[in-house]
Amino acid sequence: MYEGAINQPDAEVLNRAVDAVARETGLRLRIDELEVREGPYTLDAVLGVEGRNERLAAEIKRWAPQANLGALINQVQALPMEGLLVADYINPKMAEKLREQRVQFIDTAGNAYLDMPPVYVFVTGKRKPTQEMGWPKRDTNRAFDRTGLKVVFAFLCRPELAAAPYRDIADVADVALGTVGWVINGLKDAGFIFKYGHGKKRELVEYKRLLDRWVEAYPEKLRPKMQMGEFIADDPYWWKGFDIQKYHGYWGGEIAATHYTKYLKPAVATVYLPKEAKAKFLARARLRAAPGTMWDDTGRVNIYQAFWRDDTLPFINIAKPGVVPPVLAYADLIATADPRNQEAAGMIYDEYIARYNQQG
DNA sequence: TTTGAGCGCACAGGCGTCGC
DNA sequence: GCGACGCCTGTGCGCTCAAA
């Protein structure tokens, strides 16, 4: 068992997963290093395979719900060397998706997918470990709860906001003043904010890692709460020439990606609207409620309530009018777990977001 | 019914400004 | 230079509400 500088719960998940894969498959993985700096990346761990020369960069996730699968795939694929997802539990559906995208994984139940010819392992369907067996407790950092995510979103759009007074932050993020303290402390604990200089000015650090955490938590915690319905349009190109700004709305997801990259042909429309504009928007766009089961995504429209205040938009750094900020477009695309969308997300990151990472 | 997250408000400490 | 005052900032507490 390895005990290093990495936080205790992550180390526990890693140790359990390594033990489980050995028990279920006989394949022995070796924990070579923890918290390895590789250029701009900090790898959670580097693993070796006994009797072989391969080294695998481990991305450890204590909590890996299905809603975050796209983000997880993206994080593993972005690793600077051959990667491996190490999670508490991967259910059979997630296992199949990960295998489709050739993302190797191991979990604490003994489920695994490893493809290192001539070694090929695919184990799925092992039951989730119970709480009594030491099932790791979920991370309860308030920075990654519903309101915390609104504050972090504002920071990701405008990193310098981290140094602003609490009242300004609360105003821009549209949360209560008391919430800001919880979020800042949560970010400090997690190592995303530190204070420097004589005046103890706050600064955002580890921008990419924070973005990954946000992109991971957003589709699970915040977006479902903001959902105003799923609709369908008869004309799949209804959105072309549609003046969304008239409704104080913003294109997200695939349509945002076409504005930022000209790379995608959108099938699904994602729209962010103020609550009060929904009825007028639906009538003008001629949308109807989506049926329970849809075999084809073409023409599908997801509408979410905009979770930022319209009058604080100058602070939120909208790169294109009527289009959500690059950070949100990136998160929407990653959440789909679709390979083409992930590619588009990568382009948005490179062109619009990466510069914040270099600053931070 | 219980629990926990979110909010608003009040309070305390720090800092700057002004008058003596 | 020192003290009084007021403003700004961050923290803590109690209430409300929603989810389980």
Side-chain angles (χ1 to χ4, degrees):
Chain A
M1 183 163 286
Y2 197 109
E3 288 178 26
I6 193 173
N7 71 56
Q8 186 60 35
D10 280 358
E12 207 173 307
V13 166
L14 179 60
N15 284 319
R16 281 171 181 274
V18 166
D19 288 349
V21 75
R23 189 178 64 237
E24 295 297 333
T25 69
L27 185 72
R28 301 209 164 272
L29 296 173
R30 191 182 60 239
I31 304 168
D32 286 344
E33 291 172 90
L34 292 172
E35 290 196 326
V36 183
R37 196 84 192 165
E38 188 80 25
Y41 296 89
T42 304
L43 307 176
D44 291 338
V46 172
L47 308 186
V49 184
E50 242 171 49
R52 298 173 58 123
N53 293 328
E54 279 103 334
R55 278 160 63 83
L56 296 165
E59 180 72 26
I60 304 171
K61 295 292 164 197
R62 263 178 278 162
W63 186 260
Q66 200 160 341
N68 303 346
L69 194 61
L72 299 180
I73 290 170
N74 181 262
Q75 284 170 34
V76 176
Q77 286 176 340
L79 291 170
M81 56 196 275
E82 185 75 16
L84 171 75
L85 172 65
V86 180
D88 48 3
Y89 176 64
I90 300 291
N91 70 33
K93 264 193 176 177
M94 295 166 75
E96 195 49 55
K97 274 213 162 175
L98 288 167
R99 188 172 67 117
E100 272 171 22
Q101 300 228 21
R102 301 182 58 82
V103 172
Q104 304 185 98
F105 68 84
I106 59 174
D107 75 8
T108 59
N111 298 300
Y113 166 61
L114 292 157
D115 189 2
M116 299 176 289
V119 174
Y120 181 86
V121 170
F122 186 47
V123 179
T124 178
K126 294 282 168 197
R127 302 274 295 272
K128 195 172 177 174
T130 61
Q131 191 72 254
E132 296 74 49
M133 287 163 69
W135 180 247
K137 268 197 168 174
R138 185 163 194 186
D139 190 356
T140 53
N141 190 326
R142 295 268 292 259
F144 301 99
D145 276 335
R146 185 160 58 93
T147 48
L149 288 170
K150 290 169 75 175
V151 178
V152 175
F153 172 68
F155 286 166
L156 288 170
C157 291
R158 298 277 304 209
E160 70 275 15
L161 190 66
Y166 278 24
R167 276 164 182 79
D168 291 355
I169 296 170
D171 201 39
V172 171
D174 197 20
V175 298
L177 177 65
T179 303
V180 177
W182 282 102
V183 175
I184 298 268
N185 287 334
L187 291 173
K188 271 192 224 157
D189 289 347
F192 293 117
I193 276 183
F194 85 105
K195 284 183 164 185
Y196 70 93
H198 177 65
K200 294 276 179 193
K201 214 177 157 204
R202 286 184 303 270
E203 191 184 16
L204 206 63
V205 292
E206 301 265 8
Y207 184 93
K208 178 67 168 71
R209 197 161 65 85
L210 179 60
L211 176 69
D212 286 344
R213 281 289 297 273
W214 190 82
V215 167
E216 205 183 304
Y218 169 65
E220 190 206 348
K221 300 273 191 65
L222 180 56
R223 198 169 67 173
K225 305 279 178 196
M226 296 290 124
Q227 186 152 31
M228 294 201 286
E230 203 174 29
F231 301 87
I232 190 159
D234 293 326
D235 172 12
Y237 299 104
W238 66 276
W239 50 272
K240 282 193 173 176
F242 190 95
D243 183 9
I244 200 162
Q245 287 181 267
K246 204 172 149 188
Y247 303 89
H248 302 284
Y250 303 86
W251 300 115
E254 296 176 21
I255 297 181
T258 62
H259 282 85
Y260 283 123
T261 68
K262 312 265 182 265
Y263 173 72
L264 280 179
K265 218 174 171 186
V268 178
T270 303
V271 175
Y272 289 86
L273 281 178
K275 215 174 185 175
E276 55 280 7
K278 184 186 162 190
K280 277 188 183 169
F281 175 85
L282 289 178
R284 177 68 187 82
R286 296 171 182 269
L287 303 178
R288 54 194 165 81
T293 317
M294 282 180 70
W295 303 109
D296 183 8
D297 272 346
T298 309
R300 188 153 62 86
V301 184
N302 288 315
I303 303 187
Y304 301 99
Q305 191 183 340
F307 55 88
W308 54 89
R309 263 181 43 198
D310 217 32
D311 58 336
T312 58
L313 281 182
F315 299 101
I316 297 288
N317 192 21
I318 292 288
K320 287 183 188 281
V323 182
V324 297
V327 166
L328 183 51
Y330 175 82
D332 278 339
L333 293 168
I334 293 291
T336 64
D338 177 278
R340 254 182 90 75
N341 286 352
Q342 305 241 335
E343 256 182 85
M347 291 178 189
I348 292 175
Y349 178 81
D350 290 343
E351 197 170 336
Y352 296 94
I353 308 174
R355 58 198 154 113
Y356 294 130
N357 191 29
Q358 280 144 25
Q359 285 166 18

